[in-house]
């Protein structure tokens, strides 16, 4: 629309907050090279919409949330929507689905879902979607907040935590490459939304509408190319649910 084109003209650069060690979702190396599934989607939307995205490194969700609330950043790519984040963001239509899973030690008792973790100590990355859901809906679970999913998996392997909860695509390569048979994906955490979206600062809803049009223009071939590039090995992981 003319209003959307004017909005793009007035805001030609869109700063996106990037958590640099979230492979295969997104990574940002020291030279500023942005890669991963989010980077591929951002590149496609740049081509379709004429938007210029600027990547800004953040340490983790606490910093990302703080800078989005202050409007120092305009958005974040491929995040999980939830009510808490909806207080300061508007969300695009879903871009893709990415299940969250429960990882336990290989010899741990079987679990079928988050309810089976009541009374246990569970590692979650600070301010992640899992952190928010468990804090709000499962007060009987003792939370161990960690800085990264690698730290959470290490806590499970060492016995500091009974389980770690994270997106399957992130933990699968970490399990395969670093921890071997000491931990396993035990169940899906279905209470956490599998949808991944773009989150946009709440005072710029027009950008959400512009991105929605770009996302709607993506073909199944576009999605398949990104999935095949980044998830080919991830989804060969055997899971027990």
């Amino acid at each position: 629309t003319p209003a959307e084109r004017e909005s793009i003209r007035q805001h030609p650069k869109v700063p996106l907050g990037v958590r640099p060690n979230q492979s295969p979702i997104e990574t940002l190396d020291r030279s500023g090279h942005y890669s991963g599934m989010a980077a591929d989607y951002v590149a496609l939307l740049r081509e379709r919409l004429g938007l210029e995205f600027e990547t800004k490194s953040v340490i983790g969700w606490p910093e990302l949330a703080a800078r989005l609330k202050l409007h120092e950043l305009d958005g974040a790519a491929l995040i999980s929507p939830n009510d808490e984040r909806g207080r300061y963001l508007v969300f695009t239509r879903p871009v893709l689905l990415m299940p969250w899973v429960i990882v336990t030690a290989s010899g741990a008792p079987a679990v079928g879902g988050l309810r089976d973790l009541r009374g246990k100590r569970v590692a979650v990355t600070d301010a992640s979607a899992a952190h928010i859901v468990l804090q709000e809906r499962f007060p009987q679970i003792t939370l161990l907040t960690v800085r990264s999913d690698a730290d959470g998996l290490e806590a499970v392997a060492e016995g500091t935590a009974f389980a770690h909860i994270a997106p399957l695509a992130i933990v699968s390569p970490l399990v395969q490459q670093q921890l071997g048979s000491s931990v396993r994906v035990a169940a899906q955490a279905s209470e956490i939304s599998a949808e991944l979206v773009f989150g946009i600062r709440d005072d710029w809803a027009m950008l959400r509408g512009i991105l929605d049009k770009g996302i709607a223009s993506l073909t199944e071939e576009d999605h398949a190319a990104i999935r095949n590039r980044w998830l080919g090995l991830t989804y060969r992981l055997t899971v027990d649910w």
Side-chain angles (χ1 to χ4, degrees):
T1 67
E4 290 171 342
R5 286 194 292 271
E6 178 62 17
S7 182
I8 293 174
R9 189 188 69 78
Q10 293 181 4
H11 303 88
K13 293 186 178 181
V14 179
L16 290 179
V18 176
R19 293 159 295 158
N21 299 306
Q22 291 287 301
S23 179
I25 304 297
E26 60 181 5
T27 61
L28 189 67
D29 65 23
R30 292 183 178 180
S31 67
H33 177 66
Y34 186 38
S35 62
M37 300 180 73
D40 286 358
Y41 279 110
V42 165
L44 287 173
L45 293 173
R46 179 187 293 117
E47 293 174 6
R48 305 286 168 91
L49 300 171
L51 286 171
E52 188 62 38
F53 296 92
E54 290 183 311
T55 53
K56 303 291 185 179
S57 180
V58 297
I59 294 173
W61 255 108
E63 182 186 348
L64 177 58
R67 295 182 67 182
L68 286 166
K69 290 173 183 177
L70 291 171
H71 299 163
E72 294 177 1
L73 300 171
D74 288 341
L78 300 193
I79 65 170
S80 298
N82 55 52
D83 291 343
E84 196 279 330
R85 292 173 181 171
R87 295 171 187 164
Y88 57 93
L89 297 174
V90 292
F91 304 117
T92 64
R93 63 169 61 203
V95 181
L96 75 158
L97 299 179
M98 184 75 65
W100 286 69
V101 295
I102 301 167
V103 180
T104 66
S106 295
V111 298
L114 294 182
R115 285 179 174 78
D116 294 336
L117 300 178
R118 287 176 291 193
K120 301 187 184 302
R121 195 176 198 214
V122 175
V124 291
T125 53
D126 193 16
S128 66
H131 189 182
I132 293 167
V133 169
L134 267 64
Q135 202 167 44
E136 292 179 349
R137 297 175 55 185
F138 296 91
Q140 309 93 332
I141 295 174
T142 301
L143 298 180
L144 171 66
T145 56
V146 294
R147 292 188 59 181
S148 69
D149 290 307
D151 290 343
L153 293 173
E154 192 66 32
V156 173
E158 294 176 350
T160 309
F162 176 81
H164 176 59
I165 301 171
L168 176 61
I170 292 177
V171 296
S172 293
L174 292 173
V175 170
Q176 293 177 34
Q177 297 165 15
Q178 299 179 24
L179 295 169
S181 60
S182 62
V183 300
R184 65 187 176 97
V185 176
Q188 186 170 355
S190 58
E191 294 87 347
I192 304 171
S193 174
E195 294 180 347
L196 292 183
V197 304
F198 280 74
I200 305 301
R201 50 190 268 187
D202 58 1
D203 67 334
W204 197 6
M206 187 173 289
L207 178 59
R208 185 260 307 272
I210 293 169
L211 291 176
D212 272 341
K213 291 181 179 179
I215 294 166
S217 76
L218 299 175
T219 66
E220 179 52 37
E221 288 74 18
D222 292 328
H223 291 294
I226 294 173
R227 284 197 305 269
N228 291 340
R229 181 180 182 188
W230 296 104
L231 301 180
L233 292 176
T234 295
Y235 283 92
R236 294 195 188 108
L237 181 69
T238 301
V239 294
D240 297 334
W241 66 70

